[in-house]
Amino acid sequence: RAAQGRAYGNLGNTYYLLGNFGKAVKSHQERLEIAKEFGDKSAERRACSNLGNACVFLGEFAMAAEYYKRTLHLARLLKDKAIEAQACYSLGNTYTLLQDYEKAIEYHLKHLLIAQELADRIGEGRACWSLGNAYTALGNHEQAVHFAERHFDISKEIGDRS
Amino acid sequence: VQRMHLIQVDSVQRWMEDLRLMAECE
């Protein structure tokens, strides 16, 4: 049963990389069930991340957000800050796709705080870029320019010309 | 409005490009 779980995970990843997102979701859902049977929280977290990603490419944004929220909960349980940051970033982007900019800002700010805590300048730059865009979408140009300037400074610092 | 929409999604598009190759291994 444990090997079956791993095989479903690998199948899900392969379908995903082949662009067959429907089959990827089915495989990762099986992987998730087996992870739960074993109480394997890391595997459960991985399955939720992979499911969220596949749902994004199926255009199932609300479902993706639910899987990413489960990922976030499990990342906190596992005390994995990097995964917690990644889940917040995914949620911020997914809420942008859902055009819920207030929620997008909420998660991008959470991502920004963790990126700062982890001294992850690339992550911080991406959070500022995303926040600038979300505030622009809301018409809050003061906050938008604030984050655009921070994004600009960080990009210069890390030598990201694009 | 169209231009605003494009500006608003560029960071999301970059995220999706990275996401497309992100499969967490067993």
Side-chain angles (χ1 to χ4, degrees):
Chain A
R1 194 76 180 139
Q4 217 176 318
R6 286 192 292 275
Y8 271 127
N10 288 330
L11 266 172
N13 284 336
T14 310
Y15 282 130
Y16 180 83
L17 293 170
L18 283 168
N20 192 335
F21 304 112
K23 280 198 169 180
V25 164
K26 285 203 177 100
S27 300
H28 284 307
Q29 277 169 341
E30 296 285 352
R31 206 289 165 255
L32 180 59
E33 285 314 305
I34 295 174
K36 285 198 286 189
E37 270 175 41
F38 281 85
D40 182 345
K41 295 288 176 197
S42 292
E44 194 179 331
R45 199 284 305 155
R46 270 198 312 277
C48 287
S49 292
N50 287 325
L51 279 162
N53 298 349
C55 285
V56 166
F57 291 101
L58 282 172
E60 301 279 354
F61 305 134
M63 185 70 83
E66 290 312 307
Y67 281 123
Y68 287 140
K69 277 188 240 177
R70 280 177 70 176
T71 305
L72 180 57
H73 171 74
L74 289 161
R76 286 174 176 157
L77 208 75
L78 294 162
K79 300 189 193 311
D80 189 329
K81 279 279 170 190
I83 295 291
E84 187 181 341
Q86 192 187 70
C88 289
Y89 185 50
S90 297
L91 277 162
N93 285 306
T94 305
Y95 278 112
T96 302
L97 289 166
L98 285 164
Q99 295 182 297
D100 184 342
Y101 302 112
E102 279 91 355
K103 273 259 184 319
I105 288 167
E106 182 187 319
Y107 285 108
H108 281 310
L109 283 171
K110 286 182 203 285
H111 173 221
L112 178 61
L113 280 179
I114 302 171
Q116 284 172 324
E117 207 179 307
L118 299 177
D120 170 11
R121 294 296 272 170
I122 294 171
E124 204 179 326
R126 284 185 182 176
C128 290
W129 182 15
S130 307
L131 281 161
N133 286 342
Y135 279 116
T136 298
L138 283 178
N140 186 338
H141 305 301
E142 240 172 79
Q143 284 297 306
V145 82
H146 166 75
F147 283 107
E149 279 173 357
R150 281 180 67 177
H151 180 215
F152 183 51
D153 291 339
I154 293 168
S155 301
K156 275 192 290 188
E157 181 195 307
I158 63 177
D160 182 343
R161 294 286 284 165
S162 74
Chain B
V1 171
Q2 187 60 34
R3 193 162 164 268
M4 285 273 289
H5 184 67
L6 287 172
I7 291 166
Q8 170 255 307
V9 294
D10 65 355
S11 55
V12 177
Q13 278 175 356
R14 173 61 201 270
W15 168 69
M16 286 177 75
E17 281 167 29
D18 293 341
L19 201 66
R20 184 61 188 85
L21 301 171
M22 206 183 285
E24 282 195 60
C25 296
E26 291 294 325

